[in-house]
Amino acid sequence: MTDLDYRLEDFLSQVELEICEYLNKQKTKFPNSSKLLKRFTKRKDDWIHVSNHFRELKAKEKLGCKENSKSKEKTKLQDNIIIRNNELAEVVNELCIAKLFVEDITIDSIEYEPIVFKGDKSIDFHLRFIDGQTAYCDVKTIHPDDTGNWEQYQRALKNKLFPSHASFDLQQDSLGGILWHHSFASRTKMLEHVIEFEEKIVQKAINSSRKIMLFCGDGFRLSKDELEDFADFYYTEKYRKDDFMQLMEAYSMEKEAIILLRNIDYIAYFERKPMNLEYKFIPRVHGSASI
């Protein structure tokens, strides 16, 4: 096992001890917590299975088994490990958020995945507050990979797709391609996720309850500042002057005939770094009023 594997195993043990055991004792406030806890266990077991298979394959390589088929299998397993890591990050975020809701004294009860749609889609949480109000909260973790896309950034500069008053200056030798990919992919996912949540709201005719879109990030691949730009556009139908994605997003929305329903009440932000249970939570994201 690598040091990273050991660190992740230690972290998962910490999650079980500090969060899973805690939530398992909150049956009064969170009656169906077992559904979320079982999902964590399943994803942890999936990660262990894939990781063990990958280590076995590497061991065979050291013994001289380097056939082309083994190389293809190794690449496939590496991709699978990334998927499993992302799935773990997503469910750990949901566990942390569930704990946050349980500890919120204004919330009377919590239900996990109260509404499930075709295609394994759902709304993640239903909250009932002590004052009688209710809310539906959909949780999405945004974690683009570290693929560099310097050529796309250069094309955007050449085609003048950045506003003159909102430059986005990057250097190729300072992770410029990766940083660009993070920003572009994250903004694309923000739009995709709110559209999907809006459709869920309409499909289930959710009117009287508050609707919360909760984005999770690690503070690097998804930054709070960039989420503020998107949130302000969503609330006001106008782009902030310093939103460097506005021209590209507006062009894409017009080309694809996207019209936002704007039936989501709050865009929230949950930030947690990898293999760390400390977090920041902002219940309603918005930018500076002066811009």
Side-chain angles (χ1 to χ4, degrees), residues 15-26 37:
V15 172
E16 290 176 319
L17 181 64
E18 297 184 18
I19 299 185
C20 294
E21 289 188 11
Y22 173 81
L23 291 177
N24 195 42
K25 298 174 182 177
Q26 307 301 318
L37 296 175

Side-chain angles (χ1 to χ4, degrees), residues 7-142:
R7 285 175 56 205
L8 184 52
E9 282 199 349
D10 288 344
F11 172 68
L12 295 178
S13 296
Q14 182 187 5
V15 172
E16 290 176 319
L17 181 64
E18 297 184 18
I19 299 185
C20 294
E21 289 188 11
Y22 173 81
L23 291 177
N24 195 42
K25 298 174 182 177
Q26 307 301 318
K27 296 296 185 181
T28 301
K29 190 168 185 176
F30 190 9
N32 74 334
S33 60
S34 60
K35 186 175 183 180
L36 177 54
L37 296 175
K38 287 177 182 178
R39 177 159 296 170
F40 168 74
T41 300
K42 173 68 167 57
R43 291 190 175 181
K44 182 191 71 171
D45 290 345
D46 287 346
W47 173 79
I48 292 173
H49 174 74
V50 173
S51 296
N52 286 342
H53 192 181
F54 182 70
R55 285 193 292 270
E56 290 171 3
L57 194 63
K58 288 182 68 176
K60 289 180 181 179
E61 282 186 346
K62 288 183 179 180
L63 295 175
C65 302
K66 297 183 178 180
E67 301 95 334
N68 187 49
S69 61
K70 295 292 183 184
S71 178
K72 290 181 179 179
E73 186 179 2
K74 182 179 177 182
T75 300
K76 184 177 179 179
L77 279 172
Q78 286 174 323
D79 293 340
N80 207 356
I81 287 174
I82 293 173
I83 292 171
R84 300 308 176 199
N85 284 342
N86 287 344
E87 289 177 343
L88 272 174
E90 291 165 5
V91 75
V92 170
N93 284 340
E94 290 183 350
L95 285 167
C96 291
I97 290 164
K99 185 172 185 286
L100 184 155
F101 289 155
V102 168
E103 293 174 337
D104 188 333
I105 61 173
T106 69
I107 296 175
D108 182 59
S109 65
I110 304 159
E111 184 180 2
Y112 181 64
E113 291 190 339
I115 301 176
V116 178
F117 301 82
K118 291 182 179 179
D120 200 31
K121 294 182 179 181
S122 66
I123 295 178
D124 295 299
F125 291 98
H126 179 249
L127 311 175
R128 189 174 298 278
F129 295 84
I130 58 175
D131 63 2
Q133 295 189 62
T134 58
Y136 285 93
C137 178
D138 214 13
V139 178
K140 295 295 182 184
T141 297
I142 294 182

Side-chain angles (χ1 to χ4, degrees), residues 239-291:
Y239 287 105
R240 291 162 54 92
K241 292 180 180 179
D242 61 346
D243 183 354
F244 60 85
M245 285 288 183
Q246 59 184 274
L247 295 181
M248 280 178 283
E249 185 172 73
Y251 172 77
S252 177
M253 290 179 66
E254 182 178 0
K255 181 180 179 182
E256 298 177 30
I258 295 173
I259 298 176
L260 293 172
L261 302 176
R262 291 186 162 84
N263 55 2
I264 298 170
D265 298 303
Y266 301 105
I267 292 177
Y269 179 58
F270 178 90
E271 181 179 300
R272 182 185 63 82
K273 298 188 183 306
M275 290 186 279
N276 195 321
L277 289 181
E278 295 183 2
Y279 63 83
K280 298 177 184 177
F281 176 63
I282 303 174
R284 188 179 190 274
V285 175
H286 56 84
S288 171
S290 62
I291 296 178

